[in-house]
PDB file of all heavy atoms in Angstrom:
ATOM      1  N   LYS A 948      -4.315-115.088  58.819  1.00 98.00           N
ATOM      2  CA  LYS A 948      -5.594-114.496  58.423  1.00 98.00           C
ATOM      3  C   LYS A 948      -5.661-114.357  56.900  1.00 98.00           C
ATOM      4  O   LYS A 948      -6.701-114.603  56.287  1.00 98.00           O
ATOM      5  CB  LYS A 948      -5.756-113.129  59.098  1.00 98.00           C
ATOM      6  CG  LYS A 948      -7.089-112.484  58.879  1.00 98.00           C
ATOM      7  CD  LYS A 948      -7.172-111.186  59.696  1.00 98.00           C
ATOM      8  CE  LYS A 948      -8.463-110.448  59.427  1.00 98.00           C
ATOM      9  NZ  LYS A 948      -8.502-109.164  60.134  1.00 98.00           N
ATOM     10  N   ALA A 949      -4.556-113.989  56.288  1.00 98.00           N
ATOM     11  CA  ALA A 949      -4.510-113.877  54.825  1.00 98.00           C
ATOM     12  C   ALA A 949      -4.826-115.226  54.187  1.00 98.00           C
ATOM     13  O   ALA A 949      -5.593-115.297  53.218  1.00 98.00           O
ATOM     14  CB  ALA A 949      -3.143-113.366  54.377  1.00 98.00           C
ATOM     15  N   ALA A 950      -4.247-116.300  54.723  1.00 98.00           N
ATOM     16  CA  ALA A 950      -4.514-117.647  54.194  1.00 98.00           C
ATOM     17  C   ALA A 950      -5.996-117.988  54.326  1.00 98.00           C
ATOM     18  O   ALA A 950      -6.600-118.535  53.397  1.00 98.00           O
ATOM     19  CB  ALA A 950      -3.651-118.677  54.918  1.00 98.00           C
ATOM     20  N   ASP A 951      -6.583-117.650  55.482  1.00 97.00           N
ATOM     21  CA  ASP A 951      -8.017-117.897  55.677  1.00 97.00           C
ATOM     22  C   ASP A 951      -8.844-117.156  54.630  1.00 97.00           C
ATOM     23  O   ASP A 951      -9.797-117.709  54.076  1.00 97.00           O
ATOM     24  CB  ASP A 951      -8.466-117.434  57.069  1.00 97.00           C
ATOM     25  CG  ASP A 951      -7.889-118.279  58.197  1.00 97.00           C
ATOM     26  OD1 ASP A 951      -7.404-119.410  57.937  1.00 97.00           O
ATOM     27  OD2 ASP A 951      -7.924-117.806  59.355  1.00 97.00           O
ATOM     28  N   GLU A 952      -8.486-115.914  54.371  1.00 97.00           N
ATOM     29  CA  GLU A 952      -9.237-115.104  53.399  1.00 97.00           C
ATOM     30  C   GLU A 952      -9.061-115.641  51.976  1.00 97.00           C
ATOM     31  O   GLU A 952      -9.993-115.567  51.169  1.00 97.00           O
ATOM     32  CB  GLU A 952      -8.815-113.639  53.476  1.00 97.00           C
ATOM     33  CG  GLU A 952      -9.133-112.968  54.802  1.00 97.00           C
ATOM     34  CD  GLU A 952     -10.612-112.983  55.170  1.00 97.00           C
ATOM     35  OE1 GLU A 952     -11.467-113.159  54.271  1.00 97.00           O
ATOM     36  OE2 GLU A 952     -10.920-112.815  56.358  1.00 97.00           O
ATOM     37  N   MET A 953      -7.901-116.176  51.679  1.00 97.00           N
ATOM     38  CA  MET A 953      -7.687-116.784  50.366  1.00 97.00           C
ATOM     39  C   MET A 953      -8.629-117.976  50.182  1.00 97.00           C
ATOM     40  O   MET A 953      -9.225-118.149  49.123  1.00 97.00           O
ATOM     41  CB  MET A 953      -6.218-117.223  50.221  1.00 97.00           C
ATOM     42  CG  MET A 953      -5.248-116.069  50.124  1.00 97.00           C
ATOM     43  SD  MET A 953      -3.529-116.575  50.409  1.00 97.00           S
ATOM     44  CE  MET A 953      -3.183-117.503  48.910  1.00 97.00           C
ATOM     45  N   LEU A 954      -8.744-118.789  51.232  1.00 96.00           N
ATOM     46  CA  LEU A 954      -9.605-119.975  51.156  1.00 96.00           C
ATOM     47  C   LEU A 954     -11.080-119.614  51.079  1.00 96.00           C
ATOM     48  O   LEU A 954     -11.868-120.325  50.460  1.00 96.00           O
ATOM     49  CB  LEU A 954      -9.378-120.859  52.385  1.00 96.00           C
ATOM     50  CG  LEU A 954      -8.187-121.798  52.336  1.00 96.00           C
ATOM     51  CD1 LEU A 954      -8.058-122.550  53.650  1.00 96.00           C
ATOM     52  CD2 LEU A 954      -8.300-122.764  51.170  1.00 96.00           C
ATOM     53  N   ASP A 955     -11.452-118.506  51.721  1.00 95.00           N
ATOM     54  CA  ASP A 955     -12.848-118.082  51.767  1.00 95.00           C
ATOM     55  C   ASP A 955     -13.191-117.274  50.520  1.00 95.00           C
ATOM     56  O   ASP A 955     -13.522-116.092  50.590  1.00 95.00           O
ATOM     57  CB  ASP A 955     -13.094-117.261  53.040  1.00 95.00           C
ATOM     58  CG  ASP A 955     -14.552-116.892  53.217  1.00 95.00           C
ATOM     59  OD1 ASP A 955     -15.420-117.617  52.691  1.00 95.00           O
ATOM     60  OD2 ASP A 955     -14.841-115.860  53.864  1.00 95.00           O
ATOM     61  N   SER A 956     -13.069-117.911  49.371  1.00 94.00           N
ATOM     62  CA  SER A 956     -13.302-117.192  48.112  1.00 94.00           C
ATOM     63  C   SER A 956     -13.753-118.160  47.026  1.00 94.00           C
ATOM     64  O   SER A 956     -13.483-119.359  47.079  1.00 94.00           O
ATOM     65  CB  SER A 956     -12.010-116.495  47.666  1.00 94.00           C
ATOM     66  OG  SER A 956     -11.044-117.450  47.271  1.00 94.00           O
ATOM     67  N   LYS A 957     -14.421-117.585  46.047  1.00 94.00           N
ATOM     68  CA  LYS A 957     -14.814-118.356  44.863  1.00 94.00           C
ATOM     69  C   LYS A 957     -13.563-118.841  44.127  1.00 94.00           C
ATOM     70  O   LYS A 957     -13.529-119.952  43.592  1.00 94.00           O
ATOM     71  CB  LYS A 957     -15.670-117.450  43.964  1.00 94.00           C
ATOM     72  CG  LYS A 957     -16.317-118.123  42.810  1.00 94.00           C
ATOM     73  CD  LYS A 957     -17.230-117.125  42.080  1.00 94.00           C
ATOM     74  CE  LYS A 957     -17.786-117.718  40.823  1.00 94.00           C
ATOM     75  NZ  LYS A 957     -18.602-116.730  40.085  1.00 94.00           N
ATOM     76  N   TRP A 958     -12.530-118.005  44.114  1.00 95.00           N
ATOM     77  CA  TRP A 958     -11.263-118.344  43.462  1.00 95.00           C
ATOM     78  C   TRP A 958     -10.724-119.675  43.978  1.00 95.00           C
ATOM     79  O   TRP A 958     -10.268-120.515  43.202  1.00 95.00           O
ATOM     80  CB  TRP A 958     -10.262-117.204  43.706  1.00 95.00           C
ATOM     81  CG  TRP A 958      -8.850-117.509  43.395  1.00 95.00           C
ATOM     82  CD1 TRP A 958      -8.264-117.517  42.157  1.00 95.00           C
ATOM     83  CD2 TRP A 958      -7.797-117.815  44.311  1.00 95.00           C
ATOM     84  NE1 TRP A 958      -6.921-117.820  42.261  1.00 95.00           N
ATOM     85  CE2 TRP A 958      -6.614-118.009  43.578  1.00 95.00           C
ATOM     86  CE3 TRP A 958      -7.741-117.960  45.702  1.00 95.00           C
ATOM     87  CZ2 TRP A 958      -5.399-118.330  44.167  1.00 95.00           C
ATOM     88  CZ3 TRP A 958      -6.526-118.278  46.292  1.00 95.00           C
ATOM     89  CH2 TRP A 958      -5.374-118.458  45.523  1.00 95.00           C
ATOM     90  N   ALA A 959     -10.805-119.880  45.317  1.00 96.00           N
ATOM     91  CA  ALA A 959     -10.258-121.110  45.911  1.00 96.00           C
ATOM     92  C   ALA A 959     -10.969-122.352  45.389  1.00 96.00           C
ATOM     93  O   ALA A 959     -10.337-123.397  45.214  1.00 96.00           O
ATOM     94  CB  ALA A 959     -10.346-121.045  47.434  1.00 96.00           C
ATOM     95  N   THR A 960     -12.267-122.227  45.117  1.00 96.00           N
ATOM     96  CA  THR A 960     -12.997-123.385  44.591  1.00 96.00           C
ATOM     97  C   THR A 960     -12.814-123.534  43.085  1.00 96.00           C
ATOM     98  O   THR A 960     -12.904-124.633  42.563  1.00 96.00           O
ATOM     99  CB  THR A 960     -14.512-123.284  44.925  1.00 96.00           C
ATOM    100  OG1 THR A 960     -15.051-122.108  44.330  1.00 96.00           O
ATOM    101  CG2 THR A 960     -14.732-123.252  46.425  1.00 96.00           C
ATOM    102  N   GLN A 961     -12.527-122.420  42.404  1.00 95.00           N
ATOM    103  CA  GLN A 961     -12.346-122.477  40.943  1.00 95.00           C
ATOM    104  C   GLN A 961     -10.993-123.061  40.549  1.00 95.00           C
ATOM    105  O   GLN A 961     -10.875-123.710  39.516  1.00 95.00           O
ATOM    106  CB  GLN A 961     -12.493-121.074  40.346  1.00 95.00           C
ATOM    107  CG  GLN A 961     -13.903-120.546  40.391  1.00 95.00           C
ATOM    108  CD  GLN A 961     -13.989-119.103  39.939  1.00 95.00           C
ATOM    109  OE1 GLN A 961     -13.059-118.328  40.082  1.00 95.00           O
ATOM    110  NE2 GLN A 961     -15.135-118.740  39.396  1.00 95.00           N
ATOM    111  N   VAL A 962      -9.977-122.764  41.336  1.00 95.00           N
ATOM    112  CA  VAL A 962      -8.627-123.270  41.045  1.00 95.00           C
ATOM    113  C   VAL A 962      -8.058-123.939  42.309  1.00 95.00           C
ATOM    114  O   VAL A 962      -7.131-123.455  42.937  1.00 95.00           O
ATOM    115  CB  VAL A 962      -7.686-122.159  40.513  1.00 95.00           C
ATOM    116  CG1 VAL A 962      -8.074-121.748  39.107  1.00 95.00           C
ATOM    117  CG2 VAL A 962      -7.672-120.947  41.420  1.00 95.00           C
ATOM    118  N   PRO A 963      -8.649-125.088  42.691  1.00 96.00           N
ATOM    119  CA  PRO A 963      -8.271-125.705  43.971  1.00 96.00           C
ATOM    120  C   PRO A 963      -6.800-126.104  44.080  1.00 96.00           C
ATOM    121  O   PRO A 963      -6.211-125.958  45.155  1.00 96.00           O
ATOM    122  CB  PRO A 963      -9.198-126.918  44.080  1.00 96.00           C
ATOM    123  CG  PRO A 963      -9.678-127.179  42.685  1.00 96.00           C
ATOM    124  CD  PRO A 963      -9.670-125.853  41.979  1.00 96.00           C
ATOM    125  N   ALA A 964      -6.198-126.582  43.008  1.00 97.00           N
ATOM    126  CA  ALA A 964      -4.789-126.980  43.098  1.00 97.00           C
ATOM    127  C   ALA A 964      -3.909-125.755  43.320  1.00 97.00           C
ATOM    128  O   ALA A 964      -3.058-125.742  44.231  1.00 97.00           O
ATOM    129  CB  ALA A 964      -4.366-127.734  41.839  1.00 97.00           C
ATOM    130  N   ARG A 965      -4.110-124.719  42.514  1.00 96.00           N
ATOM    131  CA  ARG A 965      -3.315-123.492  42.633  1.00 96.00           C
ATOM    132  C   ARG A 965      -3.555-122.844  44.006  1.00 96.00           C
ATOM    133  O   ARG A 965      -2.618-122.485  44.706  1.00 96.00           O
ATOM    134  CB  ARG A 965      -3.683-122.519  41.522  1.00 96.00           C
ATOM    135  CG  ARG A 965      -3.003-121.175  41.672  1.00 96.00           C
ATOM    136  CD  ARG A 965      -3.459-120.173  40.594  1.00 96.00           C
ATOM    137  NE  ARG A 965      -2.301-119.646  39.925  1.00 96.00           N
ATOM    138  CZ  ARG A 965      -2.143-119.543  38.633  1.00 96.00           C
ATOM    139  NH1 ARG A 965      -3.076-119.922  37.811  1.00 96.00           N
ATOM    140  NH2 ARG A 965      -1.040-119.050  38.133  1.00 96.00           N
ATOM    141  N   SER A 966      -4.814-122.682  44.372  1.00 97.00           N
ATOM    142  CA  SER A 966      -5.108-122.014  45.645  1.00 97.00           C
ATOM    143  C   SER A 966      -4.567-122.835  46.816  1.00 97.00           C
ATOM    144  O   SER A 966      -4.033-122.270  47.766  1.00 97.00           O
ATOM    145  CB  SER A 966      -6.607-121.758  45.797  1.00 97.00           C
ATOM    146  OG  SER A 966      -7.346-122.964  45.827  1.00 97.00           O
ATOM    147  N   GLY A 967      -4.678-124.144  46.739  1.00 97.00           N
ATOM    148  CA  GLY A 967      -4.153-124.994  47.813  1.00 97.00           C
ATOM    149  C   GLY A 967      -2.656-124.814  48.005  1.00 97.00           C
ATOM    150  O   GLY A 967      -2.175-124.705  49.142  1.00 97.00           O
ATOM    151  N   ARG A 968      -1.927-124.750  46.906  1.00 97.00           N
ATOM    152  CA  ARG A 968      -0.469-124.536  46.992  1.00 97.00           C
ATOM    153  C   ARG A 968      -0.152-123.170  47.592  1.00 97.00           C
ATOM    154  O   ARG A 968       0.717-123.042  48.461  1.00 97.00           O
ATOM    155  CB  ARG A 968       0.176-124.637  45.606  1.00 97.00           C
ATOM    156  CG  ARG A 968       0.298-126.030  45.049  1.00 97.00           C
ATOM    157  CD  ARG A 968       1.161-126.069  43.786  1.00 97.00           C
ATOM    158  NE  ARG A 968       0.757-125.139  42.764  1.00 97.00           N
ATOM    159  CZ  ARG A 968      -0.142-125.403  41.799  1.00 97.00           C
ATOM    160  NH1 ARG A 968      -0.717-126.590  41.748  1.00 97.00           N
ATOM    161  NH2 ARG A 968      -0.446-124.488  40.892  1.00 97.00           N
TER     162      ARG A 968
END
Side-chain angles (χ1 to χ4, degrees):
K948 186 175 176 184
D951 292 343
E952 296 301 340
M953 291 164 71
L954 277 177
D955 185 26
S956 69
K957 188 175 174 183
W958 166 79
T960 61
Q961 290 174 331
V962 289
R965 174 184 234 132
S966 63
R968 286 190 307 271

